[in-house]
Amino acid sequence: MKQEKGEAVAEVTEAQIAVHWKEEEYVYPSAKFIGQANAADPAILERFKEENYPECFKEYADLLTWDKYWHTTLDAGNPPFWKWFVGGKLNACCNCVDRHLAANKNKAAFIWVPEPEDEPHWTITYQELYRKVNELAALLTKFAGVKTGDRVTFHLPMVPALPISMLACARLGVIHSEVYGGFSGKACADRIVDSGSRVLIAIDGYYRNGRLIDHKAVVDEAVEEAKRQGIDVEKVLIWRRFPGRYVSKAPMVEGRDYFLDDLLKDYRGVKVDPVSMPAEAPLFLMYTSGTTAVPKGCQHSTGGYLAYVAGTSKYIQDIHPEDTYWCFADIGWITGHSYIVYGPLAVAATSVMYEGVPTYPDAGRPWRIAEQLDVNIFHTAPTTIRMLRKAGPDEPKKYHYHFKHMTTVGEPIEPEVWRWYHEVVGKGEAAIVDTWWQTENGGFLCSTIPALQPMKPGSAGLGMPGIYPVIYDEDRNELKAGEGRAGNICIKYPWPGSFQTIWGSPERYIAIYYEKYCKDKNSRDWRDWPYLSGDAAVQAADGYYRILGRVDDVINVAGHRLGTKELESAALTTEEVAEAAVVPVVDELRGRVPDMYISLKPGLAAGKAIEEKVKQNIVKMVGPIARPRNVYIVPDMPKTRSGKIMRRVIAAISNFADIGDVTTLANPEVVETIRKMVQGDEVKPSQEVPDEIKKFGAGD
Ligand code: WTA
């Protein structure tokens, strides 16, 4: 990792930051919003003060129903493997479903909106969800033979089958591992193998941008690839998008593939007791990209995770029983796990799920859904906001919906885009939270508390209650608020939502997240173990944090984390390719897009066919979201004298930024050749780019 080499100090002067975004004025929430907010009393800030840490988190744990109450809030005896609410036992499914039946059995848990506009919505009440989850849990034990502690992988898109499958596993104490539906068979296989899953739950097809995608074909690739890697998936359980009607062309494999809608008929009305799990038992794995080609399985706990997402759903998402809450994210990512499924259901909300893309069949679609369902809390990512703004800047005005609250998550949001979100989407009425966090974290780390702290466009805000961020420079100095320097944002103490380890790689967990700023490796005091996020940030004088982007080798494409090594190793599977280097390019809609540079094996001639092949291999191995914008076949990569590829130089070329001094390179002449290839003969004035791009790959 580049941080470990001490070269990549994310230092930016105030002036440089100002080139991108200046410090904005506060925007205040309305009196109406404040009047109804769950966290309107500043006493919450007192309760979560540093001196009350870690006991303050009892408040979140008390939102849950415990089979056995816990005795120790935080056991830090084996850092950095934190244990929360030790001694406690609970079941996550019971907390999200069963316990709501008494008062809310006829309330909608989910309202599922299919992409085709003429297909009816499916409103799933808590009672119906309870039935479905029990039946599937029964089938999983009796038919598929899964037991508490086993892993089950899902490769599912945005259909109700996904939360039903998650909750059925949670009911049994089975660890689920959902792989984003848009990922390739290969990416799914890698995750099946890493988690050691013997059962895969998937679907035959789903709608995306007006097309019925044949998903079962991808599932078959996953199972075949897993087999090549030595893991035999014994049972592939297939939901059907239209029960009773198979929409895929891929044949069902006898003795391996089964239709769930058929099998479930045998389990009608069967109930399964929820398994009472220790608070620190793993609930699920969520894989994320990092600095190596192997994705990391972030292991999340049952008690700590659920308490944290319940607390933040209540206070930061401001969900009340009568609200209709729509998080427009994919459950295949952490945002969907925490803030479509577990958080909202823990607080008995009505959570809207939408199958398709934002602009299908036109850019008015999200606002028609909001109008029809009377959605009043809306949650999405900057990339979606930018897309909707570009495709239909005036669309929201045409629809009669009113949001009281909106969230942005996943990438920095440009103040200009923030303003459109506030004024046009939110009609100037909604309080906005810009929530900064990561797959590893379980729930929000920084945000404003919507009724208590004003919004500032482009800033995430302060640490959440009980979360104490700190920015360190490379020399371990703590940077002060308003100092105007950027550094590595860390979290001083553990929190209940934090992941427990990387599945199967505890040493990577320590090395990647804790080693850099650990004050004393022998210490058992949590104060000595700050968590390294891998993001650069700057703190304004008022304490608000502005996140500047990743400082490691991760490219954030439309809110999805892609590891450079993953993309490069996919490119290298093309037999003609000798070397590959990928860099992020600033993109108006998607935040960043990848540009892939390759050099060929000796004697081969460049050509469109090879470029196309590289693109296809990346799509095949990672997924369509990773498709490079361009593939450039270069005569040689710019390299240091020790032979390392200078990604920073090609990143500058792709972004039309200042290339800087290249005289120390082993082959400086190649830089101009590449520049002309990408930018044309004429030298254009250089563009200002974010620091992350200026320093890209500096640690290689
Ligand atoms: C980025 C998504 C700026 C950041 C929940 C982080 C953000 C990565 C924000 C995690 C935000 C997330 N402002 N940047 N509000 N939220 N990020 O794991 O770089 O998919 O490290 O989790 O997204 O992405 P992940």
Side-chain angles (χ1 to χ4, degrees):
M1 254 177 111
K2 101 176 20 157
Q3 299 102 305
E4 287 159 14
K5 308 216 172 135
E7 292 168 334
V9 192
E11 256 188 58
V12 198
T13 65
E14 196 108 70
Q16 278 173 309
I17 291 164
V19 173
H20 307 299
W21 300 343
K22 65 178 179 27
E23 215 35 69
E24 300 285 323
E25 299 290 322
Y26 287 139
V27 178
Y28 292 87
S30 68
K32 191 171 166 200
F33 178 81
I34 297 171
Q36 60 81 61
N38 282 331
D41 181 351
I44 189 173
L45 302 171
E46 287 296 313
R47 297 200 299 275
F48 280 86
K49 259 192 169 160
E50 211 159 331
E51 66 232 42
N52 296 331
Y53 177 94
E55 301 309 323
C56 53
F57 286 114
K58 176 180 190 307
E59 191 165 331
Y60 286 0
D62 286 346
L63 295 172
L64 304 181
T65 303
W66 295 83
D67 302 332
K68 184 166 169 253
Y69 204 70
W70 42 278
H71 51 70
T72 306
T73 311
L74 169 62
D75 173 354
N78 180 25
F81 300 93
W82 321 112
K83 289 185 182 165
W84 285 89
F85 312 125
V86 187
K89 288 187 127 188
L90 78 168
N91 181 275
C93 175
C94 179
N95 270 280
C96 289
V97 186
D98 304 32
R99 68 171 177 151
H100 303 320
L101 295 181
N104 285 305
K105 78 175 196 177
N106 293 322
K107 178 177 178 175
F110 290 109
I111 303 175
W112 179 61
V113 181
E115 192 188 70
E117 214 161 359
D118 50 6
E119 197 180 326
H121 298 171
W122 182 16
T123 299
I124 309 166
T125 63
Y126 276 95
Q127 168 61 33
E128 192 177 3
L129 184 61
Y130 172 74
R131 269 292 276 242
K132 296 231 168 282
V133 164
N134 270 280
E135 290 171 357
L136 181 61
L139 183 154
L140 286 176
T141 27
K142 299 208 177 98
F143 179 77
V146 302
K147 304 178 303 301
T148 301
D150 286 354
R151 279 79 54 210
V152 170
T153 297
F154 309 153
H155 197 15
L156 285 167
M158 281 295 284
V159 289
L162 176 47
I164 291 170
S165 304
M166 290 164 70
L167 292 162
C169 285
R171 193 166 193 84
L172 302 169
V174 165
I175 304 167
H176 59 76
S177 170
E178 152 71 0
V179 179
Y180 169 63
F183 268 154
S184 67
K186 161 79 166 69
C188 180
D190 292 345
R191 289 155 176 81
I192 291 173
V193 170
D194 189 79
S195 63
S197 298
R198 300 278 173 182
V199 173
L200 175 64
I201 303 184
I203 195 166
D204 58 344
Y206 62 97
Y207 282 98
R208 192 133 194 102
N209 216 5
R211 277 202 315 134
L212 185 57
I213 309 271
D214 186 340
H215 191 58
K216 172 64 165 54
V218 181
V219 171
D220 286 351
E221 278 172 33
V223 176
E224 282 149 29
E225 171 63 23
K227 193 179 187 120
R228 275 194 288 278
Q229 297 187 28
I231 288 277
D232 250 322
V233 177
E234 288 155 15
K235 289 203 165 57
V236 180
L237 306 177
I238 299 290
W239 294 93
R240 278 185 284 196
R241 173 62 174 73
F242 301 98
R245 177 155 79 86
Y246 187 50
V247 297
S248 164
K249 292 206 175 63
M252 294 290 279
V253 176
E254 176 91 40
R256 187 197 79 181
D257 301 352
Y258 301 88
F259 289 131
L260 272 171
D261 53 322
D262 279 348
L263 294 178
L264 279 165
K265 290 181 185 143
D266 294 340
Y267 297 88
R268 203 187 79 225
V270 179
K271 304 243 162 52
V272 175
D273 284 339
V275 180
S276 196
M277 300 298 291
E280 64 270 24
L283 178 62
F284 67 86
L285 306 179
M286 171 62 65
Y287 282 84
T288 189
S289 299
T291 48
T292 60
V294 196
K296 303 174 281 191
C298 296
Q299 176 185 316
H300 284 282
S301 73
T302 306
Y305 170 81
L306 201 62
Y308 197 69
V309 295
T312 47
S313 290
K314 178 167 178 187
Y315 294 123
I316 307 304
Q317 294 296 288
D318 198 51
I319 301 178
H320 292 56
E322 61 281 11
D323 290 328
T324 304
Y325 167 84
W326 181 15
C327 172
F328 193 174
D330 197 295
I331 301 176
W333 307 112
I334 192 70
T335 301
H337 272 50
S338 299
Y339 297 111
I340 298 178
V341 183
Y342 285 115
L345 262 55
V347 299
T350 294
S351 181
V352 175
M353 277 180 74
Y354 171 56
E355 178 179 31
V357 303
T359 49
Y360 184 83
D362 57 70
R365 184 67 188 281
W367 322 126
R368 285 199 289 285
I369 295 171
E371 181 184 83
Q372 188 178 3
L373 302 179
D374 201 21
V375 170
N376 66 341
I377 307 181
F378 185 69
H379 182 157
T380 198
T383 184
T384 306
I385 304 168
R386 290 184 209 113
M387 195 191 299
L388 289 166
R389 176 177 180 234
K390 184 158 187 215
D394 300 319
E395 285 300 305
K397 294 193 189 108
K398 299 181 191 162
Y399 298 94
H400 300 284
Y401 65 83
H402 292 278
F403 295 151
K404 69 165 187 179
H405 179 292
M406 303 194 300
T407 302
T408 165
V409 60
E411 297 162 78
I413 184 166
E414 301 78 359
E416 189 198 336
V417 176
W418 191 98
R419 263 191 214 96
W420 181 78
Y421 196 38
H422 185 249
E423 279 150 33
V424 182
V425 177
K427 306 182 178 188
E429 300 165 345
I432 297 184
V433 290
D434 180 344
T435 59
W436 169 70
W437 59 298
Q438 312 170 298
T439 305
E440 293 85 342
N441 311 147
F444 307 146
L445 292 180
C446 283
S447 162
T448 48
I449 302 177
L452 291 175
Q453 294 153 347
M455 307 161 240
K456 189 160 42 159
S459 285
L462 302 163
M464 292 280 77
I467 303 285
Y468 304 100
V470 54
I471 302 178
Y472 290 118
D473 68 12
E474 288 298 312
D475 303 322
R476 297 167 168 252
N477 300 311
E478 210 174 305
L479 303 185
K480 295 275 168 286
E483 205 179 299
R485 280 204 295 153
N488 296 313
I489 184 163
C490 298
I491 308 297
K492 281 208 261 182
Y493 314 146
W495 65 98
S498 181
F499 68 143
Q500 302 175 293
T501 187
I502 297 176
W503 180 259
S505 283
E507 56 308 320
R508 275 170 88 206
Y509 166 78
I510 303 175
I512 297 172
Y513 301 99
Y514 288 99
E515 216 146 64
K516 187 174 170 79
Y517 288 112
C518 180
K519 291 172 192 152
D520 170 7
K521 295 210 174 100
N522 298 316
S523 166
R524 299 200 166 181
D525 185 338
W526 63 74
R527 292 169 196 83
D528 291 330
W529 292 83
Y531 163 83
L532 174 69
S533 70
D535 278 332
V538 64
Q539 192 182 24
D542 60 4
Y544 278 38
Y545 294 96
R546 171 170 293 182
I547 307 300
L548 303 173
R550 306 283 315 183
V551 293
D552 56 12
D553 301 330
V554 170
I555 305 180
N556 191 336
V557 179
H560 306 321
R561 275 164 70 172
L562 301 173
T564 52
K565 296 282 186 297
E566 257 173 290
L567 303 189
E568 290 167 5
S569 50
L572 285 165
T573 62
T574 317
E575 58 170 337
E576 293 87 347
V577 175
E579 285 181 307
V582 69
V583 295
V585 189
V586 174
D587 181 83
E588 196 197 334
L589 292 179
R590 312 213 301 155
R592 304 283 180 272
V593 289
D595 257 3
M596 180 64 77
Y597 287 76
I598 54 170
S599 63
L600 301 181
K601 289 180 182 157
L604 296 176
K608 280 268 167 262
I610 298 179
E611 291 173 19
E612 208 31 58
K613 225 164 136 185
V614 168
K615 283 190 185 170
Q616 276 169 13
N617 280 336
I618 293 172
V619 170
K620 206 165 116 221
M621 302 199 58
V622 186
I625 46 166
R627 184 192 300 277
R629 184 186 69 156
N630 294 300
V631 173
Y632 295 111
I633 304 180
V634 297
D636 194 8
M637 298 283 181
K639 286 185 187 141
T640 61
R641 299 225 164 107
S642 59
K644 291 198 173 128
I645 300 176
M646 288 294 283
R647 287 179 179 70
R648 174 183 71 69
V649 173
I650 42 186
I653 295 175
S654 268
N655 286 284
F656 289 80
D658 178 19
I659 295 170
D661 180 20
V662 293
T663 50
T664 57
L665 293 187
N667 52 355
E669 65 296 338
V670 80
V671 175
E672 182 55 14
T673 313
I674 299 176
R675 195 202 60 75
K676 279 192 179 151
M677 176 185 282
V678 175
Q679 302 182 349
D681 286 346
E682 192 192 332
V683 179
K684 306 217 174 62
S686 59
Q687 301 283 315
E688 248 326 306
V689 288
D691 196 55
E692 156 214 332
I693 290 186
K694 289 184 199 149
K695 300 249 168 77
F696 194 73
D700 287 346

